[in-house]
Amino acid sequence: ERLSNLKFNPLLSSSHKEFSLCNDLDPDSHFYPQSFDCEYYTEGSFNKYLSESQSYLNLNNNDNTLSLLHLSIRSISKKFEEFCNFLGNIAVDFSAIALTETWLNDSSHSFDIPGFNFIHKHRADKIGGGVGLYLSEYLDFKIRADFVLSDSYAESLFVEINRQKKTNIVIGVRYRPPTDDFISEMDKLITIVSGENKVIFLLGDWNLNLMNHFHHRITGEFLELLYSRMFFPLITRPTRITAHKA
């Protein structure tokens, strides 16, 4: 019902295929990998995709695969049942699930899900915000508190996944409130994590419209910083769609 009221319905439109983070005449467009398949799915269409892709997708949770999910949940206490139902309807067991805007406080920890270890970091000085990670119980991980430089510009939580005879993986979840200029702090973070020579995934809500990178200074600097350290956005389509804009 809500989708029918949208002027831009991503499930009925193919116009998003024309979106790009780089202009056709920008030499950076040849630098950005074009192999990433970013699409819109319903639960049903996503399960169909998984079923049709079994021949080349290894969906079993083990040391050779990693499946990640990020959700801006905006109060896990209010949406925990809906969140669990969503996970039950998806035909894949995610290795790690990153949550932003958990809206938890220090005493809130009654949201365990079988098969996962849940860690979270609440916002200490005021309500709202907060980040969390559900990590599959088969993962051997440790928290990397040294990657959390400051909570003044963005709330964050990092873990390192240990893998035998393979490069370790670092997963970070960050939530950046829309009011702060965080580029300097982000530059320091990217420099530090890049120096680890590990596989790194950054998930979260940056409160930035990447499609506006030509006209919005902070967004442009954010993308330039990522590219300079060989980080690439895997989500290249609008993720917040209202009745009048996306």
Side-chain angles (χ1 to χ4, degrees), residues 1-17:
E1 181 179 350
R2 188 180 74 87
L3 288 175
S4 63
N5 295 323
L6 297 179
K7 292 186 179 298
F8 169 69
N9 186 333
L11 302 179
L12 300 178
S13 173
S14 60
S15 61
H16 68 277
K17 297 180 184 295

Side-chain angles (χ1 to χ4, degrees), residues 86-211:
F86 166 74
L87 294 180
N89 291 332
I90 298 296
V92 61
D93 295 325
F94 290 100
S95 308
I97 303 171
L99 300 180
T100 49
E101 294 198 82
T102 56
W103 296 5
L104 294 176
N105 56 51
D106 192 32
S107 62
S108 301
H109 198 299
S110 58
F111 303 103
D112 294 325
I113 297 177
F116 289 94
N117 294 303
F118 179 53
I119 58 176
H120 75 93
K121 186 175 182 180
H122 68 287
R123 180 179 288 179
D125 56 345
K126 54 185 177 180
I127 62 173
V131 292
L133 277 170
Y134 283 93
L135 297 159
S136 182
E137 60 185 4
Y138 79 90
L139 295 175
D140 176 23
F141 71 91
K142 62 181 179 181
I143 297 176
R144 293 295 304 264
D146 54 317
F147 286 162
V148 181
L149 304 182
S150 170
D151 288 330
S152 300
Y153 300 100
E155 299 161 15
S156 56
L157 181 64
F158 287 84
V159 297
E160 180 176 340
I161 298 173
N162 300 309
R163 301 199 299 172
Q164 294 183 354
K165 300 180 181 180
K166 293 183 179 181
T167 304
N168 285 359
I169 296 174
V170 172
I171 299 176
V173 53
R174 307 199 84 207
Y175 172 69
R176 172 202 168 248
T179 56
D180 295 316
D181 188 342
F182 71 121
I183 297 300
S184 296
E185 186 264 353
M186 186 70 180
D187 190 8
K188 295 178 182 177
L189 171 65
I190 293 294
T191 299
I192 293 174
V193 297
S194 298
E196 294 269 323
N197 293 320
K198 296 180 173 69
V199 179
I200 303 168
F201 293 94
L202 298 178
L203 299 87
D205 183 355
W206 309 100
N207 272 302
L208 293 174
N209 176 9
L210 298 187
M211 300 300 171

